[in-house]
Amino acid sequence: FDKTPNVYIIISDMFANNEYISRLYPNKKNDIEEFLLDKKFLVKKNNLSNYGNTTLSIMSILNGAYFDDDFFFKNKKTLPFFSTIIKSFNQTDKVFKSNEYETNYIFCWGDYDIKEKYCFNEKSISYLDNLDIKFINAVMHHTFLRNYFNKVTKRNKSEKRQYLDNYHDILKFKKNKPQFNYLHLYFPHPPYIFNEDCTFRKIPDEQLVVNNKLIPKKSDRVEGYYKNLSCSSMVVKKIINHILINDPSSFLILTADHGPHLMEKTKDIDFSYFNVMDMHSTVMAVKFDKNCNSTFDFKDLSHVNLFRILMNCLSKEKNSILPNKIFYEDVNYDSIRPRKLSPKEIQVLRAK
């Protein structure tokens, strides 16, 4: 690399953009985009993820690539979550380490807490064992859910372990070596255990799930999502403020992996812009330096181009920019191939 600022990529799982929020909650507001603009981020409004599920979306971000239909279909049908992105994390890790970066990854998949298989230590989950990289004290999820179980359900009241209440406590602002930090924050993804102020709300046991499909009432999904979203905004703002105070010259990226998935998926569902947003609406914001901002066209900012743009900023080697495509999984998205939508098709759909 020609320059080595500290880099932070924050994925807030299922965090929708303001267009979706204003349509679904016309009498409510989320000010995350105003906050980001005030902090001098470039904010892409109405952003849509290229893929509508975590596995392919994160793979696409880290690889800066699309996947053909056969790969997509095979992964939807046969491969477990996360095993397919191991190589993507390893590849990203190698690129940064080859340029003298220290790398930190904060990640843990949610249902491990519900099943009482907790992510406390580095590589504590079996499917992380094949990684060459270090996942630090995987606090993304267990901090909140363990506290929920202890304080609300009393399920683990005998547990004496201390919890990390703030994500920013684990960020390390070292000056001897540039840092690459990947933080995958689990919320506003279900379970919907928060009030808007981040206090816990008691929910029925049948709603203590990580899959929206298992919450039968749309009204419960919509209410729970907004409360989790409001709490997530507070956490994200706290992290970003902490980074900017301690590391003002760093490069920051904030986005989500996919949309909220709140709508029913039936064979009779309307193919509409709102349903596309439900699968793909994501917050998208970057904070680079002025030189970096001049190297790319803002309209090219998308999931698949995030790391291409970042690498172009850090290195003299220039990656080509890919056309933006949305792989919309309509109807039963476990058994069909995606519908590919171009920006022009999205624009026409949005105008209807």
Side-chain angles (χ1 to χ4, degrees):
F1 292 165
D2 299 299
K3 53 184 175 182
T4 53
N6 291 340
V7 176
Y8 303 85
I9 177 166
I10 304 170
I11 308 289
S12 188
D13 208 300
M14 282 190 172
F15 201 122
N17 63 47
N18 276 7
E19 181 184 25
Y20 179 91
I21 295 166
S22 63
R23 290 196 185 201
L24 190 60
Y25 310 96
N27 299 319
K28 296 183 179 181
K29 184 181 179 181
N30 187 282
D31 67 350
I32 189 66
E33 291 184 2
E34 293 177 8
F35 165 83
L36 294 166
L37 289 169
D38 185 61
K39 299 297 180 182
K40 310 303 180 186
F41 278 74
L42 297 176
V43 178
K44 186 174 182 182
K45 298 184 178 182
N46 312 330
N47 185 68
L48 299 174
S49 62
N50 298 114
Y51 292 96
N53 68 80
T54 300
T55 307
L56 290 174
S57 186
I58 298 302
M59 286 178 67
S60 181
I61 291 172
L62 294 177
N63 285 284
Y66 293 117
F67 309 102
D68 60 35
D69 286 356
D70 288 337
F71 181 91
F72 182 101
F73 192 67
K74 179 182 178 184
N75 277 273
K76 290 297 293 184
K77 296 298 289 181
T78 63
L79 296 179
F81 173 81
F82 203 79
S83 64
T84 55
I85 56 176
I86 286 177
K87 290 182 180 179
S88 301
F89 275 109
N90 277 330
Q91 186 60 35
T92 300
D93 196 69
K94 288 174 183 176
V95 169
F96 278 95
K97 282 183 175 174
S98 69
N99 286 277
E100 305 303 320
Y101 271 78
E102 182 175 291
T103 57
N104 301 301
Y105 300 81
I106 305 166
F107 198 111
C108 177
W109 189 234
D111 59 354
Y112 273 82
D113 280 306
I114 291 176
K115 295 174 183 175
E116 300 190 54
K117 299 178 180 178
Y118 305 119
C119 305
F120 279 128
N121 304 313
E122 298 165 6
K123 295 189 178 181
S124 61
I125 301 302
S126 60
Y127 60 57
L128 301 184
D129 290 343
N130 294 327
L131 289 171
D132 295 330
I133 62 179
K134 181 175 70 172
F135 277 62
I136 56 172
N137 201 26
V139 300
M140 178 196 77
H141 190 78
H142 80 262
T143 298
F144 291 133
L145 262 186
R146 292 300 294 278
N147 274 302
Y148 174 82
F149 290 141
N150 282 1
K151 294 179 180 178
V152 179
T153 71
K154 309 299 182 184
R155 192 173 86 178
N156 300 310
K157 59 184 179 181
S158 62
E159 175 63 55
K160 301 299 184 183
R161 186 181 293 271
Q162 294 295 312
Y163 303 109
L164 291 170
D165 288 323
N166 300 312
Y167 286 119
H168 64 61
D169 288 344
I170 63 172
L171 291 175
K172 302 171 183 176
F173 302 103
K174 297 180 180 178
K175 296 186 178 179
N176 59 327
K177 216 173 183 184
Q179 304 288 305
F180 172 78
N181 287 282
Y182 175 96
L183 297 86
H184 194 128
L185 312 180
Y186 191 68
F187 298 101
H189 195 290
Y192 299 131
I193 60 175
F194 291 115
N195 291 305
E196 294 176 32
D197 62 356
C198 284
T199 56
F200 288 122
R201 60 190 288 254
K202 182 73 170 74
I203 59 175
D205 288 345
E206 60 268 20
Q207 292 185 25
L208 194 61
V209 294
V210 298
N211 187 342
N212 262 332
K213 290 181 183 179
L214 301 178
I215 302 175
K217 289 185 179 180
K218 177 183 170 182
S219 59
D220 290 335
R221 298 195 297 271
V222 171
E223 178 189 15
Y225 177 78
Y226 186 81
K227 292 179 182 295
N228 265 23
L229 177 74
S230 299
C231 173
S232 299
S233 293
M234 291 177 61
V235 174
V236 167
K237 290 176 188 176
K238 193 172 185 180
I239 293 172
I240 289 175
N241 278 330
H242 186 66
I243 293 171
L244 292 177
I245 290 170
N246 290 277
D247 197 0
S249 61
S250 61
F251 282 15
L252 282 87
I253 296 169
L254 171 66
T255 190
D257 47 355
H258 55 74
H261 294 196
L262 298 176
M263 302 298 109
E264 288 86 357
K265 302 295 185 292
T266 69
K267 290 184 179 180
D268 299 322
I269 195 168
D270 252 352
F271 176 54
S272 67
Y273 180 63
F274 187 79
N275 289 324
V276 173
M277 282 201 301
D278 186 57
M279 294 292 291
H280 297 272
S281 171
T282 48
V283 65
M284 169 71 81
V286 298
K287 189 175 188 297
F288 302 139
D289 60 23
K290 290 182 179 179
N291 290 334
C292 177
N293 291 343
S294 67
T295 64
F296 68 96
D297 191 327
F298 184 66
K299 68 177 177 57
D300 293 327
L301 190 61
S302 64
H303 276 184
V304 75
N305 286 319
L306 264 178
F307 268 62
R308 287 173 174 263
I309 290 171
L310 176 62
M311 295 304 165
N312 288 348
C313 289
L314 299 179
S315 171
K316 289 179 180 178
E317 294 182 13
K318 297 305 176 186
N319 297 284
S320 60
I321 297 300
L322 299 180
N324 197 20
K325 299 177 184 177
I326 308 302
F327 292 78
Y328 176 61
E329 307 162 271
D330 49 359
V331 194
N332 182 356
Y333 61 88
D334 287 326
S335 63
I336 68 162
R337 296 170 189 271
R339 183 189 304 207
K340 300 183 189 69
L341 299 171
S342 68
K344 186 175 182 179
E345 289 171 307
I346 289 290
Q347 189 175 11
V348 170
L349 196 62
R350 187 169 183 258
K352 288 183 178 180

